[in-house]
Amino acid sequence: MITRLRLTTLAFTLWLTSTTAAQAQSQAQDAPPATAAATANIIVFDASGSMWNKMESSTRIEIARRIMGQFLSGYDTAQPLGVIAYGHRKRGDCNDIEVIVPPGIINPAAVTSQINALIPKGKTPLAESLRRAAELIPNTAESANILLITDGLETCDGDPCQVAADLIATGIKIRAHVVGFGLTEAEANTLACITELTGGKLFNPSNGSELLDALQQSVTATPEPTAAPAPEPVEEKTFETALFLKSVGLGLPTGSMKWTATDSSGKTRELATALGHELKTQLPAGTWTIIAQGPEGRGEGTVKVSGPTRPSLDFTAPQMEVEFPPTAPLTAGVNAYLSFRIKTPPPGRPHSSFRLGIFPTDDPLTRIIASGQNRHVFPGAKKILPGEYHAALSMPKQPGIYKIAFIRTTETKHVVLAEAPIQLVAIPELNLEVPNRIVAGSVFEPKITSGRGEYDRLRLFPLKADGTRGRQIADFWYSTFLQRNEGLIDAPEKPGQYELVLTARTADKNNAPEVTAIVNVVSPEPSETTPSSATTSTPTTSPPARPDPKAKAKADIRLILPGVDATTRVTWNINPLEADGKTLSRDGRMGGGGNTTGGDRTLSLVPGLWRITAKTTDTNTKFQIVADILPDEPTQTFELAPQFDGTQFTLDVQGKMAHTPGGFFPIELKIPDGFTGTIAIHSDDDRSAPALFETDIVELAGATDHALPHPEKPGYYEIRINNSTGQTLKAAAFQVVPADLSSDSDADVPAPAAPQTQLTQFPGNLLGTGLINAEISGQTHEFMTTSKTMPAQQGPKHENPEVQKFLDSMAGKVIHTAVLRLLAGSIYVTLDAYGNIGPHGPKMMGKDRTSLELNFALDPKTLELKPAMRTLSYNPPGSKTTENQQTTDFELHHESTTKNPDGTLAFKGTFSGTLTTDMKGNPLPTPVPIKGTFDIQRASGNDVVAKALGVP
């Protein structure tokens, strides 16, 4: 599993616009009334988790507070001011946006105090915050200035460039200024579209004083003087000209591009500044030099206009720059994380394919040991941004020195963009650093420089007065820490001393090195953070001393059931336990339970271990916790964890699929909130053997399209959802057949001992349903998708009545090789087409047989293409199945998708890309360019698909 650790953002957005006297009256109580002609300023303040990162000799949040105090102390209080903040209430919530001070006349000291009270925690919904701020612009405003200050990039998949374009479309005259506080030049360029679209300025301060200067300049910035009225233009005849950029390198731009046209006399006119790679405009007849310039690259070409035209211009982008930072030794024989840094990204969504690989040191990058392909190096990325990324690869079992490389595949060769040595060790020497002082309720960023195993474990404990550990308050895998938590840990709300424990998983399960570090949590006061380090040690912690079970004094506790509202009836069961946490105790403590209303209960219990369970009466949702109740403590709060039995999950997979080594197959997966565990693939031939693939299920929980890696060889397999104790709660079986046998073939791989029924292809009439024409390495090929009409069965009835029932139900129906399935909320399309078809059908093609398979996903409501779940594979004439050529990174455009009267779909479109790997995922010696068109008259699915498409 590979992901990018995205930067969070420090952002203030200052809107300068007019407001009315009625709006100004909604301000702070001690503020004077606003004047009707005043200018309103709205600041959007970043309280995201990255604000605790160090800058100069302090932290970003401390610098921001200090600079905002200075800025507000000199602020003209005659101008109304409002403040919006985000990221200060909940980590990981892109909707955590709040109006802190409504627009109005303010008391600077009071606003400063409110800003100082914000505790950075969460993400940076930059684009959505801009939209929210725009809603505060009065309807009477004729113009506005925007100031955006940011120390990073959008982290909630928003598009600030598109928001800037939307604001212009409102008709209000807006100038947006961007202050890149600590950004690199490449990062600042990704936001330059905002200023280019609106005519604003780009600042790049590197310290607090420069930030204050940028704020003050933006407040005092005056609009460009209005130009004198131009003379009436001489009417000239123009023609509609649609300009398109054509990639000659990495891809096409998605950000802003400034378009100009120069005529034969050398006179230049500005056409427009717009997003993307195309522009529709009007030009007079003549020869024009067209230039499109933007942060992502430059397009240029000569265009002759004598009527409506649609010319294309060659677009070139700066060379993509990648580097590997120095890497401490990683753990051999496990999944471990590599880091790489994108210094200069490719434009937009690239056409080329990227691969991260591990090689022997003496190998010229041909014998790859472990790799991650484009879709996993940048999972779901609409655009590759500058910054640091992390990729989990399966490390070689043998310790030693290896070589890591970042490779880009072009149409003719493999280009190495970066490579570096890496050391693998059997037992890593762990190193763990944490800040010396951490503010209660904030977040902190521990530094882990070695090991970096996907299933290394991080736990946080409170320390008691005698130095022993209290009840564990946090526990997660390193992958969860790096991906879902973005490298941050929530600091406890209660000041005190805590212990962070890092335990490494190694290939030798009996040897798990451990390291600890002390975490000092202080009251919410700004303080300098300096690292304290710890080195590898063997844990010597003894069990905490148990309180006297017969003590008469009771402790107050609070029990919380997450997600249960105040009206739900709950049944409780509370029992005392022995020190092992499992055995019911006979020490005289009285258990209990009873019924209550609501998921929040307070009661008093004798100190000791208790097992507390609860069940809601309406949904039968179960909760449980083993609570260690301590004496002499204020009210102790326990949140019970939901218990799952498999009925709350959805797991669906295609029953039979073609063998695609190195590829991925889609699954339908729904996971209940609060569940932690793994999803794994096991061989059905040996159900007790270790998993062939396993990953933390929380890495899939937030996605809409799910896919798992193909097994290495054909056979019968099972997908299992396991809880944190290893218990299987849900399972689904599937079969992998050789790739030269389609999913409707009679030939199966040898079945396991357990009897299974496979209902696949039957005799019938071969019918053509559509054509795919492709140009592959300069040669033209024609492929045909087919269907078979199912006849009534002849001869003896089948001995299995269920099989016979199926055969009877299928009589007269049509089975297609253009198939629709409903997976993960998408219509998943498989076009399995054949060339050189012989007289016995597509499966008996002889030595010249060839095939092409195209897979993609559609939105069932709009029938628009989705960016995920795409594969393209080609079997050359006369080749073996293992010599199939494939890619998952290609351009796909469809002209139309229509519904036929019988409920099937018809498709027309084009595709283009480069075949880069064989069926085992190995790089091809020479990448194969491919492009073509498809025209499919009928593609069918089952009743579930028909229902999703709204077909009776």
Side-chain angles (χ1 to χ4, degrees), residues 424-471:
L424 302 183
V425 296
I427 307 298
E429 182 176 348
L430 300 180
N431 183 269
L432 174 64
E433 296 181 0
V434 298
N436 230 7
R437 293 163 59 84
I438 299 169
V439 176
S442 67
V443 294
F444 67 97
E445 183 177 13
K447 185 178 181 182
I448 301 170
T449 56
S450 57
R452 303 190 71 197
E454 185 173 14
Y455 293 106
D456 289 358
R457 190 178 181 188
L458 280 161
R459 292 172 291 162
L460 186 64
F461 299 87
L463 290 181
K464 301 178 183 180
D466 61 359
T468 59
R469 296 174 183 170
R471 182 172 60 92

Side-chain angles (χ1 to χ4, degrees), residues 351-612:
H351 289 282
S352 51
S353 180
F354 299 98
R355 178 183 294 270
L356 186 67
I358 302 177
F359 301 82
T361 54
D362 59 350
D363 187 85
L365 303 182
T366 58
R367 184 161 61 91
I368 194 165
I369 298 175
S371 71
Q373 293 180 319
N374 187 44
R375 62 178 294 180
H376 294 100
V377 175
F378 307 104
K382 299 177 182 177
K383 186 174 183 178
I384 300 174
L385 301 174
E388 191 166 358
Y389 293 77
H390 306 275
L393 301 185
S394 179
M395 296 296 156
K397 296 181 180 180
Q398 184 64 37
I401 304 297
Y402 294 84
K403 181 166 53 179
I404 53 176
F406 188 97
I407 300 171
R408 176 173 66 87
T409 302
T410 69
E411 292 186 357
T412 57
K413 60 182 179 180
H414 302 297
V415 179
V416 178
L417 297 179
E419 61 178 283
I422 184 175
Q423 181 181 5
L424 302 183
V425 296
I427 307 298
E429 182 176 348
L430 300 180
N431 183 269
L432 174 64
E433 296 181 0
V434 298
N436 230 7
R437 293 163 59 84
I438 299 169
V439 176
S442 67
V443 294
F444 67 97
E445 183 177 13
K447 185 178 181 182
I448 301 170
T449 56
S450 57
R452 303 190 71 197
E454 185 173 14
Y455 293 106
D456 289 358
R457 190 178 181 188
L458 280 161
R459 292 172 291 162
L460 186 64
F461 299 87
L463 290 181
K464 301 178 183 180
D466 61 359
T468 59
R469 296 174 183 170
R471 182 172 60 92
Q472 175 181 294
I473 60 176
D475 183 5
F476 39 81
W477 303 121
Y478 181 76
S479 59
T480 303
F481 160 76
L482 198 61
Q483 297 172 350
R484 188 179 66 179
N485 293 7
E486 298 181 329
L488 302 172
I489 295 178
D490 289 321
E493 298 286 346
K494 182 180 178 181
Q497 198 170 68
Y498 297 79
E499 186 175 47
L500 183 64
V501 181
L502 171 64
T503 306
R505 175 181 289 189
T506 67
D508 179 2
K509 295 183 178 180
N510 296 320
N511 197 337
E514 186 171 280
V515 63
T516 64
I518 301 300
V519 179
N520 293 305
V521 178
V522 299
S523 298
E525 296 177 357
S527 60
E528 182 177 344
T529 57
T530 56
S532 64
S533 63
T535 56
T536 305
S537 63
T538 301
T540 58
T541 306
S542 58
R546 300 299 306 150
D548 181 2
K550 296 183 180 180
K552 294 182 179 180
K554 292 186 176 183
D556 294 330
I557 66 170
R558 180 185 177 193
L559 304 176
I560 296 176
L561 305 181
V564 176
D565 61 34
T567 62
T568 300
R569 294 286 295 172
V570 179
T571 300
W572 299 83
N573 196 344
I574 302 173
N575 292 295
L577 297 177
E578 296 288 358
D580 61 7
K582 299 178 181 179
T583 308
L584 286 178
S585 175
R586 300 180 181 274
D587 58 18
R589 287 177 291 156
M590 297 297 293
N595 297 317
T596 63
T597 301
D600 193 333
R601 179 183 183 184
T602 57
L603 69 158
S604 298
L605 290 174
V606 172
L609 278 183
W610 296 82
R611 181 169 62 212
I612 304 172

